[in-house]
Amino acid sequence: MNATVAMILALAVGTYAFRLVGPLLHGRVTVPARVQELASAGAIVLLVALLATGALTEGGGFAGWARPAGVLVGGVLAWRRAPFVVVVLGAAATTAVLRLAGVA
C-alpha cells in the first residue's frame, strides 16, 4: 500500500467518524447559542472565501472580468429565488456573452 492510498483511507475514516459523531452525541452535548452563531458565521465566511477564490482566480492569477460578472448574475438570481436551472444558465450565459464580446 503506497502513501497516497493510506492518506485516502485515513481521510475516508476521518470523514466517516465526523459524520458518525453528530448522531451519536445528539442530545448528550449542548452547544451554547453563541457557539452556534459563531459556527454559522464561520461557515458563511468559508463559503464566501471559496466563492471569491473560485470566481476571481485561475492558475494563480486574475480570471478576468467575465467570470466574476457571471458569478454576480448567478448570485443575484439565487438571491431573487430563481430556480436553480435559471441561476446556472443565467451565470453561464452572462460569462459566455461577455467572453464572446471580447471581455476577458
Side-chain angles (χ1 to χ4, degrees):
M1 177 184 310
N2 62 18
T4 303
V5 173
M7 288 305 297
I8 290 172
L9 289 175
L11 288 172
V13 168
T15 301
Y16 182 73
F18 269 113
R19 293 185 62 102
L20 188 62
V21 164
L24 289 178
L25 293 181
H26 182 71
R28 295 183 186 173
V29 177
T30 57
V31 179
R34 179 70 177 145
V35 173
Q36 289 179 351
E37 291 172 11
L38 288 174
S40 293
I44 291 170
V45 167
L46 286 174
L47 287 173
V48 168
L50 178 64
L51 177 100
T53 57
L56 298 175
T57 62
E58 181 178 335
F62 183 59
W65 292 104
R67 187 186 299 173
V71 170
L72 179 65
V73 168
V76 168
L77 288 172
W79 178 57
R80 306 268 301 161
R81 300 200 187 275
F84 180 73
V85 173
V86 173
V87 171
V88 172
L89 291 176
T94 301
T95 303
V97 167
L98 286 173
R99 286 185 177 165
L100 280 174
V103 178

